[in-house]
Amino acid sequence: MHHNPLGPVMTTSSGTPVADNQHSLTVGAHGPLLWQDWPLMEKLAAFNRERIPERVVHAKGWGAWGTFTATKDLSQFCRASVFSAVGKKTPVLARFSTALGESGAADAERDLRGFAVKFFTDEGNWDMVGSNSPVFFIRDPMKFPDLVHSQKRNPHDHLRSNTAYWDFLSLCPESMHQITFLMGERGLPASPRFMNGYGGHTFSIWNVRGERFWVKFHFKSQQGHKTLTNAQACALVGEDRESCQRDLYGAIEAGQYPRWTVSIQWMPEQDAMAARANLFDATKVWPQGDHPLIEIGELELNRNPQNYFAEVEQAAFSPANVVPGIGFSPDRILQGRLLAYADAQRHRIGTHYNALPVNAPRCPVAHGHQDGAMRFFDNVSNPAAYYEPNSFGGPTANAAFREPPWVVDRLVDRHAPIDGQEDHAQVCALFRRMSERQRQALASNIAHSMKGVPVFIVDRALANFDAVTLAYGNAVRAALQVCGVAYTPTI
């Protein structure tokens, strides 16, 4: 039998040396296998359990390690240590993803891209879990499971359905802003290196004096934008289903480290009361003319994972992971995500997912969570203090880290239904900024995605485009004619 004298002796998971990893233990040359062949049983059992439940959304992803470097001292606005001094470096883990494809789906699909960054700060982990779009389809989390269901596989025939996609979105006019982004030229980035990232939601920051500011986070690609047309993506998928993974991994291996300029838009808490628009609506942006970008740092990715499963698949992000000085807002979608993301990770990975090396904070951890499956760590330095309050020196809360209270007398009422014109104004401005070539590409992408959709749903979607501006609706009608998609002509 061949033996490699340079390698370690193979063992079972309990450390027992394995005598033969090529042949099963049998009774005679042709006899049955034996239950006592423990290395065989363990090998097969471990193989059966190599997969964990994939994410319901954002299952296909690509990740890398890197560094965030602060380029502005934000201490007058934010007490978070990650922004406390110019030049301060914080290790990060980034994961990018498609939203709807399964874990084996092709990378080059027209789809919303996830853009998640875990900052390992010295006061805990801060997760910025955003996307490559500054807006979202909906503004209420009650609609989120239905949104995903409409874009996933039909439970009857297990096929994706253009009809379900447009039926749902045409009944949600607030989705027009996201549709216009997704069907436009930036809706299909060639690689994560060539796309922006956005926190999307309005978040809050506060300083040591307890003064709060509302903020939007932006990650602008220093590589510029490189996108694909539908035809280019179709050809690429035929040759390489892992195009994004190959590009990101290959660039970092070659020392071509991708970088993003990190900026914020901000306003004092009280200014939100007088704002013309709902600042906590995930389907809207803050106009940069009113709220200019302020650069605060640079994100660089400079190290590839050594094991994809351990460092990317098991990476667990949640917008509920914040640090002192960074908080939330009345944004309904954000509020819904605070429960949903952490709950998804507990289901997918396990109760103690934050203790896995890829997710573990780089600062001291002390809590009272006990037992449960895979309790592989010990955070109880004092065995007598396993509850709180106690008289034996256990961990206690510290009011110095308390977040200042929201001024909510008007904020919570600003989620009342918004009239249709409010939903259309920013979309109209976006459409009018497009060149004629960009408008035609947008309309063509929309028309192709409507193939097979019943006429009454196409008509309803066209009414939404018309409500933005007739030029938008007419551009889509022209593209529908080219694609041979049926609709009811206007008289």
Side-chain angles (χ1 to χ4, degrees):
M1 179 182 296
H2 175 72
H3 175 64
N4 178 8
L6 300 179
V9 174
M10 178 178 288
T11 73
T12 65
S13 62
S14 61
T16 303
V18 174
D20 190 342
N21 190 48
Q22 299 299 309
H23 305 93
S24 301
L25 188 61
T26 65
V27 178
H30 304 291
L33 302 180
L34 297 180
W35 278 106
Q36 72 184 57
D37 191 353
W38 175 241
L40 170 65
M41 300 305 169
E42 180 180 271
K43 188 175 184 179
L44 294 177
F47 177 78
N48 287 344
R49 293 163 175 79
E50 285 183 356
R51 299 292 180 267
I52 60 177
E54 70 175 38
R55 296 164 172 86
V56 178
V57 286
H58 298 284
K60 182 70 179 289
W62 327 284
W65 298 91
T67 305
F68 170 77
T69 304
T71 57
K72 183 178 180 62
D73 181 351
L74 276 186
S75 55
Q76 69 179 106
F77 302 108
C78 181
R79 64 172 294 172
S81 64
V82 64
F83 305 129
S84 61
V86 173
K88 179 161 186 175
K89 295 183 180 298
T90 300
V92 302
L93 171 68
R95 183 180 185 270
F96 312 102
S97 56
T98 51
L100 298 176
E102 297 87 357
S103 62
D107 291 354
E109 293 187 355
R110 183 171 297 277
D111 193 4
L112 188 66
R113 297 304 203 255
F115 193 113
V117 184
K118 186 182 293 289
F119 297 77
F120 295 92
T121 86
D122 47 25
E123 290 186 316
N125 289 354
W126 169 41
D127 289 357
M128 175 53 64
V129 195
S131 75
N132 69 325
S133 170
V135 294
F136 195 53
F137 292 97
I138 52 176
R139 66 171 71 95
D140 194 306
M142 188 68 79
K143 292 185 176 184
F144 183 76
D146 298 296
L147 167 68
V148 174
H149 288 165
S150 73
Q151 300 186 23
K152 285 284 203 175
R153 297 183 182 275
N154 185 308
H156 173 65
D157 58 18
H158 200 57
L159 297 173
R160 293 193 189 178
S161 169
N162 289 347
T163 295
Y165 183 91
W166 281 105
D167 185 36
F168 179 86
L169 294 180
S170 66
L171 290 167
C172 298
E174 71 270 27
S175 67
M176 289 296 299
H177 206 170
Q178 179 68 93
I179 290 170
T180 304
F181 175 89
L182 184 58
M183 294 297 175
E185 61 182 0
R186 290 194 185 180
L188 186 40
S191 159
R193 294 192 297 139
F194 303 107
M195 70 184 193
N196 291 346
Y198 302 90
H201 306 292
T202 297
F203 293 88
S204 61
I205 56 177
W206 70 91
N207 58 27
V208 293
R209 296 184 295 275
E211 299 168 325
R212 183 189 304 282
F213 304 85
W214 302 116
V215 297
K216 292 268 197 181
F217 290 97
H218 298 250
F219 297 73
K220 294 301 180 73
S221 170
Q222 295 184 11
Q223 292 71 238
H225 293 278
K226 182 179 179 182
T227 61
L228 302 173
T229 65
N230 285 354
Q232 289 171 331
C234 185
L236 178 60
V237 169
E239 297 179 359
D240 186 0
R241 296 176 61 80
E242 321 300 336
S243 53
C244 288
Q245 171 70 10
R246 199 176 311 281
D247 178 85
L248 179 64
Y249 185 92
I252 294 175
E253 285 295 289
Q256 300 170 7
Y257 302 145
R259 298 182 178 91
W260 288 262
T261 300
V262 184
S263 302
I264 61 170
Q265 295 174 286
W266 69 278
M267 71 169 66
E269 181 176 29
Q270 294 294 338
D271 285 10
M273 303 302 168
R276 292 174 296 172
N278 185 342
L279 302 175
F280 311 105
D281 181 348
T283 69
K284 305 292 190 301
V285 297
W286 291 7
Q288 292 185 23
D290 298 334
H291 309 282
L293 292 179
I294 298 174
E295 180 182 337
I296 63 171
E298 181 180 81
L299 171 68
E300 177 186 270
L301 300 182
N302 48 36
R303 180 165 63 89
N304 279 316
Q306 295 302 301
N307 183 287
Y308 179 89
F309 179 84
E311 300 171 60
V312 180
E313 185 64 20
Q314 286 195 142
F317 298 87
S318 170
N321 291 341
V322 293
V323 294
I326 301 175
F328 313 119
S329 80
D331 182 328
R332 283 186 180 182
I333 294 291
L334 174 59
Q335 290 289 321
R337 295 176 77 201
L338 300 182
L339 166 68
Y341 275 61
D343 188 53
Q345 305 298 1
R346 294 185 191 101
H347 163 71
R348 196 174 67 88
I349 307 174
T351 302
H352 303 296
Y353 68 90
N354 270 328
L356 290 170
V358 66
N359 300 316
R362 309 290 176 85
C363 63
V365 174
H367 56 67
H369 307 327
Q370 296 188 26
D371 305 340
M374 301 296 287
R375 177 56 188 264
F376 58 90
F377 60 98
D378 182 12
N379 73 310
V380 182
S381 57
N382 183 348
Y386 53 91
Y387 52 90
E388 201 272 335
N390 67 78
S391 303
F392 305 102
T396 59
N398 187 335
F401 297 105
R402 178 173 291 154
E403 179 178 355
W406 282 349
V407 179
V408 297
D409 41 341
R410 281 189 61 199
L411 295 183
V412 294
D413 295 327
R414 294 179 68 83
H415 286 296
I418 301 172
D419 64 39
Q421 185 59 40
E422 179 67 22
D423 274 337
H424 299 144
Q426 290 191 356
V427 189
C428 184
L430 175 59
F431 184 82
R432 287 175 174 168
R433 287 198 302 270
M434 292 181 179
S435 67
E436 185 59 31
R437 178 192 61 80
Q438 290 172 324
R439 292 182 184 182
Q440 290 179 359
L442 167 66
S444 177
N445 292 334
I446 291 172
H448 278 88
S449 73
M450 287 182 168
K451 289 182 177 180
V453 177
V455 172
F456 79 94
I457 294 177
V458 176
D459 289 346
R460 189 165 60 211
L462 285 170
N464 289 337
F465 296 126
D466 288 341
V468 173
T469 170
L470 284 175
Y472 197 167
N474 288 335
V476 175
R477 286 184 180 88
L480 290 172
Q481 285 186 324
V482 173
C483 292
V485 177
Y487 66 95
T488 302
T490 54
I491 299 176

